[in-house]
Amino acid sequence: MKHRQADENSEYTADQTHTPTDSLAWMDAELDELQARQQVRSLRETAVTAAGWLDVEGKRLLHLASNDYLGLSMAENDWPEPSPAARLLGSGASRLITGHYPAYARLEEEFAAFKQAEACLVFSSGYMANIGVISSLVGRNDEVFSDRYNHASIVDGMLLSRAKLHRYKHGDMNHLESLLKKANPNGKKLIVSDSIFSMDGTMVPLKELVELKHRYGAMLMIDEAHSSGLYGPEGAGLIHEMGLQDDIEIQMGTFSKAYGGYGAYITGSRRLIRYLTNHARSLIYTTALPPVVVEMNRYNVRRSRQEPWRRERLNELSGWFRHQLKGMGFDTGNSVCQIIPVMTGSNEKALQFSRELHQRGIAGVAIRPPTVPAGSARIRFTLTAVHERADLTWALEQMEEAGHACGLISSQTDRADHV
Ligand SMILES: *Cc1c(COP(=O)(O)O)cnc(C)c1O
């Protein structure tokens, strides 16, 4: 490659004497290696066309890979609200400078009351909340105890904190306790867990975590990204469903999943929120969300509380769909909710199954390491309240055929309970 001829008056003509080097050439080898392991990822243009449906590069697909569990992400006729906030489309400042817009104050106040918490702090995303909060709660001389299946943003928060990391076996309270026993008595201890695990659809043993937290004097942080809006009274979350809201001092969740919006929250004591406002770097050193987004979150939270049919329908569809898949002989792991993995083992099988489904008109996305442990690739199916049962019935037929084509299920016998 030849350098573009520099302007004669340019001070930088000296550059021309160097042979241009391709300083990013090393990336080819790394990408080739990912490709060889069938782990390379790429972006595909995806348009959400109607509730429960997608257009991926021109092909219409049933959307079984969405986190919009309640179907709240689609605009309704009465949105945007005719409020001044909706007219300020950009943002323009971080929250601690001049970006604490009235929309923020309204959302935080309403949301704290809903969660029966003293206070709430909105972050720009769940990822930012987790890295900012965990890294401000613990430091060099402290220890963090994290379920091995926790979300990547929790892992990154722990790394950023420089605290000593312990990753306990998924849901294994004995393992966690053995680690807590050995902890340094002079440091702080933080236990952190997802409520519903995003790639498995399993549920945290919350009561046991609370017991351990009390017994060992640890702080407890629960990430309700996949349960907020779905469980408990008015969808307040799994913590509220179990009546443990006064035992868990750091409650986190997102507006980006069941609430169909964007951003995240922490609820807890005034002291906690005051501390985070002064220490969480991902809150301090980033631009505030545009107020229109904050208003959308508030609006969607209100809708989710007022429309319990969404939660009920999701719950019913999920139970039915999972039962049908099991009846066909698919391995759905230990899922108990709207997140239903179909285990394929190898990356190759996951991609093959995903391709088969794609050809049949279904979007089911292959989840591979490092998102899940090596050898546990899967398709992660998710249901929403706005899927039609007839479409799902059709999808199940397609999945059964695709499952046979890929050798994931063996025969059509032993299906007495599958109708
Ligand atoms: C999605 C997710 C996050 C990140 O939230 P974003 O708002 O998408 O950044 C954090 N934790 C868990 C468990 C999640 O599933």
Side-chain angles (χ1 to χ4, degrees):
M1 213 213 290
K2 253 186 86 83
H3 258 176
R4 203 156 45 90
Q5 199 64 36
D7 183 272
E8 275 192 33
N9 300 321
S10 164
E11 291 175 42
Y12 301 107
T13 47
D15 271 359
Q16 288 179 293
T17 63
H18 294 288
T19 314
T21 56
D22 182 1
S23 61
L24 301 183
W26 57 271
M27 288 180 180
D28 291 337
E30 296 215 358
L31 286 167
D32 288 349
E33 199 205 324
L34 277 178
Q35 181 84 54
R37 291 204 307 258
Q38 312 238 30
Q39 265 172 240
V40 87
R41 304 168 189 226
S42 60
L43 295 167
R44 283 190 304 183
E45 190 171 321
T46 304
V48 174
T49 44
W53 290 89
L54 276 182
D55 259 47
V56 178
E57 290 167 349
K59 190 171 165 75
R60 183 172 147 88
L61 301 173
L62 185 67
H63 192 0
L64 294 182
S66 160
N67 294 323
D68 181 22
Y69 301 129
L70 296 175
L72 288 167
S73 71
M74 301 282 270
E76 301 270 301
N77 292 338
D78 53 348
W79 171 262
E81 291 183 346
S83 74
R87 283 193 285 275
L88 178 56
L89 286 180
S91 183
S94 76
R95 291 193 65 194
L96 285 155
I97 306 299
T98 55
H100 183 50
Y101 305 113
Y104 266 113
R106 278 199 294 268
L107 173 62
E108 288 177 345
E109 197 173 305
E110 271 184 36
F111 205 74
F114 172 40
K115 290 279 193 175
Q116 298 161 290
E118 279 179 9
C120 169
L121 188 62
V122 172
F123 283 73
S124 294
S125 73
Y127 186 88
M128 295 224 264
N130 279 341
I131 61 167
V133 171
I134 295 170
S135 64
S136 26
L137 290 173
V138 282
R140 250 181 232 291
N141 302 313
D142 305 326
E143 296 181 54
V144 195
F145 304 83
S146 166
D147 190 293
R148 232 173 242 172
Y149 285 10
N150 276 346
H151 192 260
S153 55
I154 293 177
V155 177
D156 290 359
M158 299 191 298
L159 293 173
L160 202 55
S161 77
R162 298 189 181 91
K164 191 169 172 197
L165 310 187
H166 304 280
R167 298 180 74 192
Y168 59 90
K169 291 186 203 127
H170 178 49
D172 187 336
M173 295 296 102
N174 292 328
H175 188 209
L176 170 59
E177 181 160 21
S178 71
L179 294 167
L180 284 165
K181 269 190 188 139
K182 287 183 273 184
N184 169 14
N186 301 318
K188 282 180 276 179
K189 295 187 274 291
L190 171 67
I191 304 171
V192 53
S193 179
D194 287 10
S195 55
I196 294 288
F197 290 85
S198 53
M199 297 300 141
D200 294 79
T202 48
M203 192 180 280
V204 66
L206 205 51
K207 279 209 172 80
E208 289 81 350
L209 270 190
V210 166
E211 270 171 39
L212 286 177
K213 160 221 139 63
H214 287 311
R215 194 173 312 152
Y216 292 92
M219 302 178 278
L220 178 57
M221 173 171 177
I222 297 293
D223 175 340
E224 288 221 70
H226 296 281
S227 57
S228 201
L230 301 181
Y231 292 84
E234 294 185 22
L238 189 66
I239 294 171
H240 288 70
E241 174 160 301
M242 304 191 68
L244 295 170
Q245 56 271 25
D246 297 332
D247 291 288
I248 297 165
E249 53 275 73
I250 307 131
Q251 300 180 24
M252 176 272 178
T254 69
F255 296 115
S256 55
K257 308 255 160 85
Y259 291 126
Y262 190 75
Y265 65 83
I266 296 286
T267 52
S269 65
R270 262 183 224 102
R271 179 172 59 185
L272 172 73
I273 299 307
R274 187 155 171 250
Y275 180 85
L276 293 176
T277 306
N278 285 278
H279 286 87
R281 293 167 65 87
S282 63
L283 176 89
I284 301 168
Y285 298 107
T286 196
T287 299
L289 286 171
V292 63
V293 173
V294 182
E295 282 287 272
M296 166 180 69
N297 292 337
R298 193 166 70 94
Y299 175 78
N300 280 1
V301 169
R302 238 185 297 151
R303 264 209 298 167
S304 77
R305 295 175 65 179
Q306 288 162 2
E307 297 172 7
W309 67 264
R310 293 179 188 269
R311 279 186 286 289
E312 288 156 15
R313 186 173 156 81
L314 177 65
N315 191 31
E316 196 211 313
L317 286 178
S318 304
W320 167 76
F321 197 77
R322 189 181 332 105
H323 183 74
Q324 298 296 312
L325 285 175
K326 278 189 181 163
M328 291 174 187
F330 284 112
D331 175 4
T332 58
N334 297 314
S335 158
V336 295
C337 63
Q338 76 282 1
I339 300 167
I340 307 171
V342 163
M343 302 298 182
T344 61
S346 72
N347 296 342
E348 201 182 358
K349 269 270 184 302
L351 291 172
Q352 190 195 353
F353 190 38
S354 175
R355 267 195 309 271
E356 284 282 343
L357 292 173
H358 185 99
Q359 278 164 14
R360 290 172 159 82
I362 296 166
V365 175
I367 307 286
R368 290 160 285 167
T371 306
V372 292
S376 72
R378 65 200 66 181
I379 307 289
R380 172 186 184 263
F381 295 104
T382 50
L383 297 187
T384 75
V386 293
H387 279 117
E388 295 292 341
R389 194 183 282 264
D391 292 336
L392 294 175
T393 301
W394 165 81
L396 283 164
E397 289 163 13
Q398 304 305 313
M399 288 162 83
E400 185 163 31
E401 281 178 26
H404 282 298
C406 300
L408 286 172
I409 47 178
S410 46
S411 74
Q412 299 197 315
T413 56
D414 290 340
R415 283 172 40 204
D417 62 344
H418 164 59
V419 181

